[in-house]
Amino acid sequence: MVNLQHSSQIAKGEWEQLNTDLSISLPSLRQISLDDLSSHDAYGHLWLNQLINEHMAGPYRLTSLRVFSDTPPRLQHPIQITRLHIDGVTFSRPLAPTWLRIQAECLRELTLGSVSPQSLWDLFTSTREQLVFEQLRSLRLVFFWTSRFVPRARNAIVFDSDSSDSSSDDYELPAACGFMASRYGQPKFPQLQSLELRRFAGDLPQFLTLFAGSPPYRSQLQSLVLAGLKTELPAHLDLALFPHLQSLDVRLVDYIREDDQLYLTDLLTQAFGSAPSHLSRLSLSINFDQIPEFQFPSLMPFDQSLRSLKLVMEIEVGDLLQLLQRLPAIDFLIVEDIEMSPVTSLALLVQRLRDMESLSPVSLSLTQLHTLLANSRNPHAYYALLLFVVCRLPQLYLLRVPEDAVVLLNKAVKTLVSAGIAANRAPHLQHLRVLPWAL
């Protein structure tokens, strides 16, 4: 495998020789990974085209190609490859026939970033009359997000890699956008097991029917990730289309405000309620505005099945504990900030824990907690976190906090252990790992 990053030190005339040298030195090359967001500006095309084309055929042809670039590969023949990841490129208009063409039958794993719904399936070619992705198991599509419905409100989007600034050239997509290939008609995915769709602005319920299967092909989908703005994730999603679904991840990347209560309740009711009852993993990511009165919806089987939850909001500690008690399967929690009464010193923390008659657990399933305590990053807040939350999570083994709080919390935990508090009240503290926050 070769990993390459573009260097501004490479002169325009040197890339040809570098391609040749690499090809001679690596005759059995099977995997290429390239990071380069300046090829188009520097050369007008992807500077590694020659090497890629020379390894597209023969007994040692590439099995994996990953390109993060500002321009797609220009290929002499359709890509016959099992793993293809192309990010960074904006597929916002049809490509010339000599550019990217992907053989649908060969793919097992595919990621495309900044792809346009209008021309998505025209990137592919087939040896058959239909576009059948016979071997494709994993598909991840991040759509070109300036081509989307005009939002109801231009809210700031924060705290998520799916986010982007609103654009002045928004326009409405045709209802059937992304549903057909101009040459082959509707694509088929008989073996697809994992699907991730981000920022699709057309008719998402209709687009999802592509992956539901039709005779003689039946849906084998087991994992589904849907990420987008409120305008891109309609409340009327029907996930009964996927009877074998095991994992569902819904990510709202713009703010949920007070007047979105009905939308959020409808979305979760429909999405989680229509999903198969045997789901083993549910995940939800929500960016809340500062709304103390917001009532997090109680839904079935959502409450009983949710394993992972991300809340971008400040939540009062009492509300958080009540929420955890409603989620008996919760394993992983990210919460931006928790509002708590301060505990002004480590000595006071020890004393208050000693004075408590008991520490009743609020969750017997949560093992990982990530929190920034974004609005109250001081020692008093972290002592309160231990007192009100961590000590009441007996299965917790990993706590992630800002890097500048790791030493303080580790010291506090060691003090509680040495004082006998851990053994008597919270034995899990003896094995708790406190590490820096990592998204």
Side-chain angles (χ1 to χ4, degrees):
M1 177 177 180
V2 59
N3 270 289
L4 297 168
Q5 289 186 334
H6 175 263
S7 171
S8 58
Q9 304 299 319
I10 300 177
K12 289 186 177 181
E14 294 178 359
W15 60 266
E16 290 183 352
Q17 185 61 47
L18 179 59
N19 271 262
T20 301
D21 292 344
L22 287 171
S23 187
I24 294 173
S25 302
L26 304 168
S28 302
L29 182 64
R30 305 298 298 275
Q31 300 179 51
I32 293 178
S33 179
L34 172 66
D35 288 273
D36 178 8
L37 289 175
S38 58
S39 260
H40 184 272
D41 291 338
Y43 314 120
H45 55 81
L46 192 69
W47 65 273
L48 206 63
N49 277 332
Q50 179 184 333
L51 179 68
I52 294 173
N53 277 299
E54 288 178 359
H55 288 80
M56 277 297 167
Y60 295 106
R61 69 170 180 250
L62 291 174
T63 59
S64 177
L65 174 62
R66 177 192 165 275
V67 177
F68 189 81
S69 177
D70 61 345
T71 186
R74 178 174 288 182
L75 304 173
Q76 297 169 356
H77 306 285
I79 296 178
Q80 297 182 359
I81 203 167
T82 56
R83 292 180 176 87
L84 178 63
H85 297 256
I86 299 182
D87 287 306
V89 178
T90 297
F91 299 106
S92 56
R93 56 184 61 86
L95 299 176
T98 55
W99 283 40
L100 188 67
R101 283 295 180 269
I102 307 165
Q103 193 81 37
E105 293 90 343
C106 300
L107 286 165
R108 295 182 185 176
E109 182 179 302
L110 174 64
T111 296
L112 291 177
S114 298
V115 68
S116 168
Q118 293 98 318
S119 57
L120 168 60
W121 306 120
D122 294 328
L123 297 172
F124 301 91
T125 186
S126 175
T127 57
R128 306 169 54 165
E129 293 184 358
Q130 282 189 308
L131 193 62
V132 181
F133 292 80
E134 295 177 350
Q135 302 186 71
L136 190 65
R137 302 293 198 276
S138 175
L139 175 61
R140 179 177 181 268
L141 299 173
V142 181
F143 287 91
F144 183 61
W145 51 60
T146 59
S147 302
R148 55 182 166 79
F149 290 121
V150 176
R152 289 190 298 265
R154 297 182 178 273
N155 297 328
I157 309 162
V158 297
F159 208 73
D160 198 289
S161 58
D162 297 310
S163 62
S164 71
D165 293 331
S166 296
S167 172
S168 60
D169 57 354
D170 292 335
Y171 59 91
E172 187 170 311
L173 297 174
C177 188
F179 200 67
M180 294 283 187
S182 59
R183 178 179 175 185
Y184 300 100
Q186 184 174 321
K188 307 291 184 184
F189 304 88
Q191 301 296 327
L192 191 65
Q193 297 178 1
S194 177
L195 174 64
E196 180 172 343
L197 303 176
R198 298 191 182 209
R199 304 301 309 275
F200 181 77
D203 188 335
L204 182 60
Q206 182 187 36
F207 189 67
L208 283 171
T209 63
L210 284 179
F211 310 98
S214 57
Y217 306 111
R218 295 295 183 185
S219 172
Q220 303 298 317
L221 199 68
Q222 298 178 16
S223 174
L224 176 62
V225 178
L226 300 173
L229 305 172
K230 297 187 291 288
T231 53
E232 296 163 343
L233 293 181
H236 55 283
L237 292 176
D238 181 8
L239 301 185
L241 299 168
F242 309 114
H244 301 291
L245 199 64
Q246 298 289 328
S247 175
L248 174 62
D249 186 346
V250 177
R251 306 173 188 176
L252 285 157
V253 303
D254 54 347
Y255 272 129
I256 293 295
R257 303 187 185 279
E258 191 170 11
D259 57 358
D260 293 318
Q261 175 81 57
L262 180 59
Y263 161 78
L264 180 61
T265 300
D266 288 348
L267 172 65
L268 298 183
T269 301
Q270 184 67 25
F272 291 108
S274 66
S277 58
H278 56 259
L279 274 173
S280 60
R281 188 164 193 89
L282 295 171
S283 180
L284 178 63
S285 177
I286 306 177
N287 293 355
F288 280 101
D289 204 354
Q290 300 284 341
I291 310 170
E293 301 82 14
F294 197 97
Q295 295 297 310
F296 197 86
S298 178
L299 304 167
M300 296 291 287
F302 166 72
D303 283 1
Q304 303 300 310
S305 305
L306 189 71
R307 298 277 303 278
S308 174
L309 180 63
K310 176 181 175 182
L311 297 174
V312 185
M313 63 180 294
E314 181 181 32
I315 185 170
E316 201 276 329
V317 66
D319 293 337
L320 176 63
L321 299 182
Q322 288 182 15
L323 179 61
L324 288 174
Q325 289 175 325
R326 280 174 29 203
L327 305 175
I330 190 74
D331 174 68
F332 179 88
L333 174 66
I334 294 178
V335 59
E336 184 180 30
D337 203 0
I338 307 170
E339 182 182 347
M340 300 170 287
S341 300
V343 176
T344 55
S345 69
L346 181 54
L348 181 59
L349 171 64
V350 173
Q351 187 60 49
R352 290 188 64 173
L353 284 170
R354 279 179 173 159
D355 291 343
M356 285 184 174
E357 292 185 3
S358 64
L359 279 172
S360 56
V362 293
S363 173
L364 297 176
S365 59
L366 191 69
T367 63
Q368 299 185 54
L369 172 62
H370 298 207
T371 183
L372 284 173
L373 294 186
N375 296 324
S376 54
R377 287 173 62 174
N378 61 65
H380 302 167
Y382 295 113
Y383 296 150
L385 179 68
L386 288 172
L387 175 63
F388 297 115
V389 181
V390 173
C391 285
R392 302 183 65 183
L393 302 171
Q395 299 302 317
L396 192 72
Y397 71 82
L398 178 60
L399 173 64
R400 288 193 180 272
V401 292
E403 188 170 5
D404 56 4
V406 171
V407 173
L408 180 143
L409 275 171
N410 275 317
K411 179 182 177 181
V413 169
K414 288 180 180 179
T415 299
L416 295 178
V417 171
S418 62
I421 300 293
N424 297 327
R425 299 299 182 88
H428 63 287
L429 293 182
Q430 300 174 78
H431 310 290
L432 181 67
R433 299 177 64 199
V434 182
L435 298 176
W437 172 281
L439 287 177

